[in-house]
Amino acid sequence: MKQKEQLEGIRAEAEAALHSIETLEELDNVRVKFLGKKGDLTAVLKTMGSLSPEERPVVGQLANKIRGEITENIEKKAMELKAAQQEARLLAETIDVTLPGSPVEIGHEHPLSLVLDEVKEIFMGMGFEIAQGPEVEWDYYNFEALNIPKDHPARDTQDTFYITDNMLLRTQTSGTQIRVMEEKKPPIRMIAPGRVYRSDAVDATHSPLFHQIEGMAIDEGITMGDLVGTLETFAKKLYGSDTRIRLRPHHFPFTEPSCEIDVSCFKCGGKGCSMCKNEGWIEILGAGMIHPQVLHNGGIDPEKYSGFAFGLGLERLVMFAYEMDDMRMLYENDMRFLEQF
Ligand code: DAH
C-alpha cells in the first residue's frame, strides 16, 4: 500500500519541518504545505479511490491520526514561538532604571536681572518703593507732562514707534514720575524700572529696546543735598565704599537744575584706565530737581513740595559691572554667555 508509506513520509517530513522553523510565518507555510486544501495530505486522500474497501478505512484512520498529530504539533510550536517572541520583546524594551538620566537644562538668571535686583535692594533699603508704568504709553506721560511739547527738540533723540498720534512705545521711564504723582501724596520715594524703546539701529552700544530705572523723591524741603546724598550712598553700595561721585551741569526739560552724575572709575579708582577711557570717571545717570511745572502736572503743589529725580540705564550698569564691550550679548540668550554670571 503505497498510501500508507506516503502518509508515514508526510508524518516524518512534517516533524522535521516543524523542528527547523523559527518564525510564525514559516509555521503558517508548513501548515499550508501539509494540511492545506492543496496540501500533501489532501493529495494522498485523493488517491483513496484506487484502494480496496478493506484498505480504505485503515488508510483513512491513519490519515486522520497524522492530521491530528501535525495539527497538535503546529499549535504547540505556535505557542512556543509566541512565547519566545514575547520574551524577546520584553528584553528589547527593558528600561535600565539605574542608568543616569539625560540632564535637564536649567535656565540662569540674566545679568540684567542680577544687577536690577541689586539696585532695587539698595533703594528699598533707603525706603524707596518699586513702581511700574506701562510700556505702551500716552504721548502725554512720555513727553508732554515732562515739559517736552510736540515741537521740542528733545524729541529728536527719542524717536519711537507710534501706535497712534498720541500713543507710543515709551522712550524713557520718566513718565512714571507723573503716574506716581497722580496716585500718591508726598512723601514719595520710588524707583520704577522697566523697558523703554527708541528708533535706534542695533550696534555694540545701542538697542531699540533697553532698560531704564527711574527714581524720584518728593517731600517738603527736599534739596539738591538729598539728591547727592542718596546717589552717593547708592554708588558706594553698588561699587564699594571708596567710590566718589561727581555732578556735571546738564539739561533735561523736566528737571531744574539738571546734572549728569559720574562715579569714580571702579576699575582704576580714578587714576585712568581703558574702562574709563583715561577719564577716571564714568557717567552713570541723569538727575536733577523736579521742575515745578512737572510737579504741577502731577497734581502736586510746587509751592509746598520739592523733589529730585534721576534716571539710569540698566544696560550701561551691567556692561560696566561685568566689563562687557558689546551690549548685543545681553539679548542673544546664549547659555554659554549667561552661565558666567
Ligand atoms: N529720562 C532721561 C533719559 O532717558 C534720563 C533722566 C534724566 C531721568 C534726568 C531723570 C532725570 O529722572 O531727572 O535720558
Side-chain angles (χ1 to χ4, degrees):
M1 242 190 309
K2 75 172 198 303
Q3 282 89 347
K4 229 171 155 180
E5 276 155 36
Q6 281 173 334
L7 287 172
E8 292 295 352
I10 287 171
R11 175 191 252 164
E13 224 181 293
E15 206 169 305
L18 281 176
H19 196 74
S20 64
I21 63 163
E22 276 166 11
T23 68
L24 286 165
E25 215 175 38
E26 288 170 342
L27 186 65
D28 204 48
N29 292 339
V30 168
R31 191 186 53 77
V32 172
K33 175 170 167 28
F34 295 103
L35 306 181
K37 270 196 203 125
K38 292 177 181 158
D40 294 356
L41 208 65
T42 315
V44 175
L45 292 177
K46 275 187 185 151
T47 65
M48 296 256 284
S50 64
L51 295 173
S52 67
E54 295 81 39
E55 286 168 332
R56 248 178 255 164
V58 179
V59 172
Q61 263 173 20
L62 183 63
N64 277 340
K65 190 167 167 240
I66 290 174
R67 177 191 295 281
E69 271 176 30
I70 296 177
T71 305
E72 204 178 303
N73 288 340
I74 285 176
E75 272 165 19
K76 243 205 269 175
K77 190 76 186 179
M79 262 158 42
E80 270 172 44
L81 287 173
K82 276 184 193 155
Q85 217 173 43
Q86 169 97 334
E87 183 95 346
R89 219 176 58 218
L90 285 176
L91 221 63
E93 290 174 4
T94 300
I95 296 167
D96 183 351
V97 293
T98 67
L99 281 177
S102 31
V104 179
E105 261 210 83
I106 298 178
H108 189 278
E109 216 172 343
H110 196 280
L112 285 170
S113 307
L114 288 169
V115 173
L116 177 57
D117 283 350
E118 214 177 319
V119 173
K120 279 185 186 167
E121 202 66 41
I122 295 171
F123 280 105
M124 284 193 297
M126 293 191 277
F128 283 65
E129 287 177 67
I130 312 288
Q132 245 186 336
E135 289 169 35
V136 175
E137 181 59 288
W138 296 109
D139 183 281
Y140 173 75
Y141 288 105
N142 195 75
F143 290 129
E144 208 74 37
L146 296 169
N147 291 339
I148 310 171
K150 286 259 192 264
D151 55 358
H152 196 285
R155 291 200 182 207
D156 291 352
T157 54
Q158 301 199 16
D159 192 17
T160 182
F161 186 86
Y162 283 80
I163 288 116
T164 67
D165 277 353
N166 291 319
M167 193 194 280
L168 42 79
L169 294 182
R170 66 177 178 186
T171 61
Q172 50 185 353
T173 45
S174 301
T176 319
Q177 289 184 28
I178 307 293
R179 287 184 171 273
V180 170
M181 287 180 208
E182 284 176 347
E183 292 217 331
K184 293 209 156 99
K185 299 240 162 313
I188 296 172
R189 272 176 289 180
M190 71 86 180
I191 61 165
R195 289 194 194 100
V196 298
Y197 302 83
R198 289 189 195 179
S199 176
D200 282 337
V202 174
D203 66 23
T205 53
H206 291 88
S207 160
L209 181 162
F210 59 103
H211 299 75
Q212 284 188 338
I213 304 166
E214 195 72 19
M216 174 174 89
I218 303 171
D219 201 353
E220 285 181 53
I222 296 274
T223 69
M224 200 89 182
D226 298 304
L227 164 65
V228 174
T230 303
L231 293 175
E232 194 170 43
T233 304
F234 165 68
K236 284 180 188 299
K237 290 220 157 120
L238 192 66
Y239 295 117
S241 53
D242 293 340
T243 311
R244 287 156 292 135
I245 65 169
R246 147 178 116 166
L247 277 66
R248 278 180 292 105
H250 200 75
H251 172 261
F252 296 106
F254 39 91
T255 44
E256 180 59 35
S258 305
C259 61
E260 279 187 330
I261 296 188
D262 302 339
V263 293
S264 53
C265 179
F266 30 82
K267 196 169 180 195
C268 64
K271 289 199 270 309
C273 68
S274 62
M275 171 83 103
C276 58
K277 300 202 177 80
N278 275 318
E279 296 272 334
W281 297 94
I282 291 170
E283 183 222 314
I284 60 160
L285 56 83
M289 297 306 290
I290 302 171
H291 195 289
Q293 182 61 45
V294 173
L295 286 173
H296 178 77
N297 294 343
I300 287 174
D301 180 3
E303 296 295 332
K304 188 168 179 206
Y305 295 105
S306 58
F308 67 78
F310 57 90
L312 48 92
L314 182 57
E315 277 77 358
R316 263 181 85 79
L317 285 193
V318 171
M319 288 171 70
F320 284 126
Y322 299 118
E323 299 190 28
M324 290 172 53
D325 53 13
D326 196 330
M327 187 170 172
R328 285 168 286 203
M329 288 200 274
L330 289 172
Y331 309 117
E332 283 167 359
N333 288 331
D334 186 332
M335 283 303 286
R336 291 170 303 179
F337 169 72
L338 296 175
E339 271 169 355
Q340 298 174 57
F341 304 100

